[in-house]
Every structure is written in structure tokens, then in C-alpha cells.
Amino acid sequence: MERSRSNSIDIMKYFKIVVLLACVAGLSVRADYESSLLKELVGVGLKVRPIVMRSKVFEFDAETLKQHALQKMKEMNVRVLTDTESKVSPGDPFLELAVNIAQAQGPSHIYSISLELRERAQLERPMESIVTMAVSTWNRESLGIANRPEAVMQAIDRLLRLFAEEFNAVQSEQ
């Protein structure tokens, strides 16, 4: 009885290790795939979606967020293309920032932030028709609770820094 119990514990440990290794390998493959999509980008455009704000306490506007993001990207050596430059770059690459904030209770606010690299891609269809659409080639999200607007800005900065680090790492390999 004791030996059977020991074997089942060993099997569970083995199973946990196998699952953990599979997850790590999967994340590595995803990171490699996404970083390869950042190759040969000379820069990116930047768009801020209209902010979804359900709060009378926090005040954010899209133009202020865009100017903040532009400054951060410049500080982190990511070239932000003008709208004209972005349109003539292969794939029309642009980062899209989306921010949603809702007051939960008291000073607490729930936020979700998404930073997504979108590029134009052609999808082949039967009968020789081609569809062009914007597809996501890199995406990170942040969810949290904040009592101050500065905490939301810090979360935005973290996502911008993640993109900049991955973008600059790929560019330095070339």
C-alpha cells in the first residue's frame, strides 16, 4: 500500500514536470515566432483607440496618451513612423493602444490595456480573389486595479517597454 502511494506521487511529480516543460517550450516557440515578425521593421506607426472610460475620477484622453506613448517610444529608440511613412512601409505596421477603465468601488478602478502591432496582410481566397486586412502580429495585455491614474500610466509604460525591448533585440540581431 505504501509503495503504491509512493509510485503515484512519483508519477504526479513526473506529470507536473512534463506539463511545465511543455508550457515553457510553447512559450519559447511563441516568443520566437513573434520576434521573427518584428524583423526588418524600420519603425511603426502609432494609433490610440478611443478610450472607454467609466469613471468620474480618472481623466484620460486619447491625444495625451498618444503624446505620452510617442515620447516613451522615442526614449526607448523605437522609430515611430508618421502616418504617411507608415502607409508606404511594407505591411503598413502600426501599434494600436487600447485603454478601458471602470470605477469599481471607492477609489478603486479596474483597467485593461492592450498594445497590439497590426499589419496589413493579404489573404488568398478561392477563385483568385484576394482580401487585404489588418492582422495582429504582436500583442500584449495588462489587467489590474488602480487607485491612481499614475498606476494606469505605469502599466502602459510597461507594455511599451516590452515592445521596445523585443523590437530592439530583433533589430540588433540584423
Side-chain angles (χ1 to χ4, degrees), residues 118-129:
R118 299 180 62 80
E119 298 181 76
R120 299 258 177 239
Q122 289 187 344
L123 305 175
E124 294 183 24
R125 302 284 187 202
M127 308 288 255
E128 298 181 10
S129 66

Side-chain angles (χ1 to χ4, degrees), residues 1-16:
M1 176 81 170
E2 188 64 34
R3 184 178 177 142
S4 172
R5 185 178 205 178
S6 175
N7 283 345
S8 68
I9 291 173
D10 289 341
I11 290 171
M12 288 303 292
K13 285 181 183 178
Y14 176 77
F15 180 71
K16 287 179 184 177

